[in-house]
Amino acid sequence: MYCSHLVFFTVLLTAHSVFPQTFDEINEACSKETGFHGDIEKLNLNDPNFPKEAKCALACALDKKGVFKADGTIDREKEKPIPEEIVKDEELKKKYLKAIEECDTSAKANKCETAFEFVKCLDTKAGVI
């Protein structure tokens, strides 16, 4: 359970470290922007009915931390500092860094799908599902 929350909190906490907004401010802003008012960490990333609004909330958080390139792809270099900053477990940190290199960062149909597929891959490859 701890690890399944890690990816989402990593996204949001890193946004806090890069931008002056707090975790709560980012969460609130993304909730307003996307209409998702649920608890993402309680959702199953493998659920085929994963809510579109939740996917867009992930995209919103990534967007607020500047992870998207102009072409809609994920910038691996902006993602790499995340585990260095907040993951204390060295083994999990190594898995996370490896996953960043292995996960597909190409643009999908939209930012929501790109963010969701990237976060899902990170979660799966880091061995937390």
Side-chain angles (χ1 to χ4, degrees):
M1 191 72 157
Y2 162 76
C3 291
S4 65
H5 300 305
L6 178 64
V7 173
F8 181 69
F9 283 119
T10 297
V11 168
L12 293 179
L13 289 173
T14 301
H16 170 67
S17 69
V18 175
F19 293 96
Q21 292 179 302
T22 66
F23 169 79
D24 290 335
E25 289 170 336
I26 291 169
N27 191 26
E28 185 177 328
C30 290
S31 288
K32 285 179 183 175
E33 287 178 34
T34 65
F36 181 74
H37 302 289
D39 195 354
I40 286 182
E41 66 264 13
K42 290 185 179 179
L43 299 175
N44 178 352
L45 292 170
N46 290 314
D47 182 350
N49 296 315
F50 195 89
K52 180 182 182 226
E53 294 84 3
K55 292 177 181 181
C56 291
L58 290 170
C60 177
L62 288 174
D63 210 15
K64 288 191 180 302
K65 72 173 200 147
V67 171
F68 282 107
K69 293 181 182 179
D71 64 1
T73 61
I74 300 286
D75 187 339
R76 282 189 174 103
E77 295 308 310
K78 290 192 178 176
E79 190 71 24
K80 285 180 183 178
I82 294 170
E84 296 297 333
E85 291 176 22
I86 63 172
V87 178
K88 302 300 179 210
D89 181 277
E90 288 301 317
E91 191 61 34
L92 184 57
K93 188 183 297 185
K94 287 178 191 175
K95 287 180 182 180
Y96 194 106
L97 288 168
K98 184 177 180 192
I100 290 170
E101 289 300 321
E102 293 176 352
C103 288
D104 179 13
T105 60
S106 64
K108 309 296 183 253
N110 55 54
K111 282 186 175 181
C112 300
E113 287 300 320
T114 302
F116 174 70
E117 291 299 326
F118 184 69
V119 169
K120 181 178 174 182
C121 179
L122 289 177
D123 196 41
T124 301
K125 288 194 177 279
V128 296
I129 290 181

